[in-house]
Amino acid sequence: MKILKGSEGWWVFGSETIALLPTTAVNEQGIIADHVMLDLENGGFFQSSDGDDATYYLTVLTSTSCNCGCNYCFQNTGAASHGVQNPPRLKSLRLDVDTTAKILRFTQQQMRFASKTGLHILLFGGEPLLNPEGCLDLLKRARPLGLVGAIMVSNGYLLGDELANELAHYGLKRVKVTFDGARRAHDTIRTTRSGRPTYEQILTNLQRCTDKTVIDWDIRINISKQNIDSIDELTTDLIERLDGRRCAVDFAPVYDIGNGYSVGLDLQDESFSNSDLISLLTSCSVKLLEHGFTLAPPPSSKGCVYCAEARGLNGAVVNADGKLYSCWETAGRVGWDVGDVDTGYLPDELLRNRWVSCGFDQTNFSSEDLEELFDRVAVNVLEWQLAAGRL
């Protein structure tokens, strides 16, 4: 549960809904009065239609290779050579049928132990579509485990509508695609490893797949020093080219992970103010809402279903070779594995120093700083919606 203070009261985020509580319902420490909390609980405010408590969340890297050469990627093992966008990466692996079988046996054991009846899969990479057969095989064979749906994190460059339809048939519901600003900025930052631009191909693929499939889209808009001036232009492109009713958008900063990429967003940078960034993100968010897009909820420092609790009670992150990791940011990194699907998780004394959460190695701002900034954007947008009669 997340609670944010606004000018008219307190905004409370439930599992799928948002409520505005009067100032008297919450104290200054952000604690909801007992009788108000009881009313919310009895009204089903915190219940999810997806049955989250009964769902096991499995992330699988179907390929650790990537056709793009983004210099900020947390899977890089070093900086790219000058003038080249092919930074060295973690070991190249590809999910095969034998490893898929082992992953699903492990998953079934974990689900039984945690009394989970549904399975949700995140297809991850590298670029998962460098191994489309692995993606399809995993989804097909996961159905007997109670597959309730799947999403994919992809750069979108290889996603044709025929493949998208086949993946959707076997349970893929959403694809998360990232843009690094509008065309000029994006095609400087997010190119293929041979240096080809990707903006137009990705946007065209999303258009075609929206027309010819039932897949919906999560669009991540990266924010860095390189592209901050083009975020408004990108917002306009998305509005003009995509059906907003099929798209959810979130804004995400790019940070420095120590591999030579030094132009990520820095909340302490004096070249722009946090108030200017908040104004920019508020303005872009309002424009997207006006054209039917939805917005992702503000981030929470409480962690995710994968890494928030050790030993994967609610989910697991598995590399293409069957090794287990605490979160996708460490998947494939040497020395960060926390077990494997054959033998399970490592003993506690070995696990202790390897179990980390998302964003553990970001260096230019803390998760609390980031959360506060996006919380202010969320309140601004909610209050615009309230004033416009949209809530």
Side-chain angles (χ1 to χ4, degrees), residues 37-219:
M37 179 64 80
L38 184 60
D39 288 343
L40 291 172
E41 291 173 348
N42 290 340
F45 184 75
F46 301 109
Q47 294 178 359
S48 170
S49 60
D50 294 334
D52 287 349
D53 290 343
T55 302
Y56 187 80
Y57 295 86
L58 174 68
T59 291
V60 179
L61 282 71
T62 61
S63 170
T64 59
S65 299
C66 189
N67 52 321
C68 285
C70 306
N71 288 324
Y72 57 72
C73 182
F74 55 77
Q75 293 179 333
N76 295 343
T77 58
S81 302
H82 181 68
V84 180
Q85 287 199 237
N86 60 348
R89 290 177 51 82
L90 49 79
K91 183 180 178 180
S92 179
L93 296 168
R94 184 182 172 94
L95 182 69
D96 58 33
V97 294
D98 291 337
T99 307
T100 296
K102 293 178 181 180
I103 290 172
L104 292 178
R105 282 198 296 270
F106 167 83
T107 299
Q108 190 170 38
Q109 293 169 358
Q110 293 293 105
M111 290 176 66
R112 287 174 178 168
F113 176 78
S115 299
K116 304 291 186 180
T117 56
L119 174 63
H120 189 279
I121 291 178
L122 170 60
L123 299 169
F124 198 64
E127 171 49 52
L129 292 181
L130 287 175
N131 184 11
E133 300 86 359
C135 295
L136 288 166
D137 182 56
L138 176 63
L139 294 180
K140 291 176 185 178
R141 295 163 71 179
R143 298 178 89 175
L145 275 66
L147 184 66
V148 296
I151 62 175
M152 174 187 291
V153 176
S154 169
N155 55 45
Y157 191 78
L158 301 173
L159 189 61
D161 54 88
E162 290 187 11
L163 174 58
N165 262 322
E166 192 171 7
L167 289 164
H169 176 74
Y170 289 106
L172 183 68
K173 294 184 177 181
R174 305 187 70 88
V175 177
K176 184 162 190 169
V177 177
T178 298
F179 287 94
D180 280 285
R183 185 189 306 270
R184 184 172 59 180
H186 178 102
D187 284 343
T188 299
I189 302 168
R190 183 169 287 253
T191 72
T192 67
R193 297 182 73 79
S194 61
R196 292 179 178 273
T198 64
Y199 186 83
E200 182 57 36
Q201 184 65 57
I202 295 170
L203 200 48
T204 297
N205 285 349
L206 265 62
Q207 282 182 284
R208 289 175 179 170
C209 288
T210 301
D211 291 339
K212 298 182 179 182
T213 78
V214 297
I215 291 174
D216 292 326
W217 309 97
D218 292 323
I219 298 175

Side-chain angles (χ1 to χ4, degrees), residues 254-290:
V254 176
Y255 54 83
D256 176 16
I257 61 169
N259 282 339
Y261 185 83
S262 59
V263 289
L265 187 65
D266 187 345
L267 299 184
Q268 308 303 319
D269 191 340
E270 295 181 357
S271 64
F272 65 92
S273 68
N274 287 355
S275 61
D276 287 340
L277 180 57
I278 291 169
S279 296
L280 170 66
L281 298 184
T282 300
S283 172
C284 290
S285 296
V286 166
K287 286 202 298 185
L288 289 165
L289 287 172
E290 288 177 323

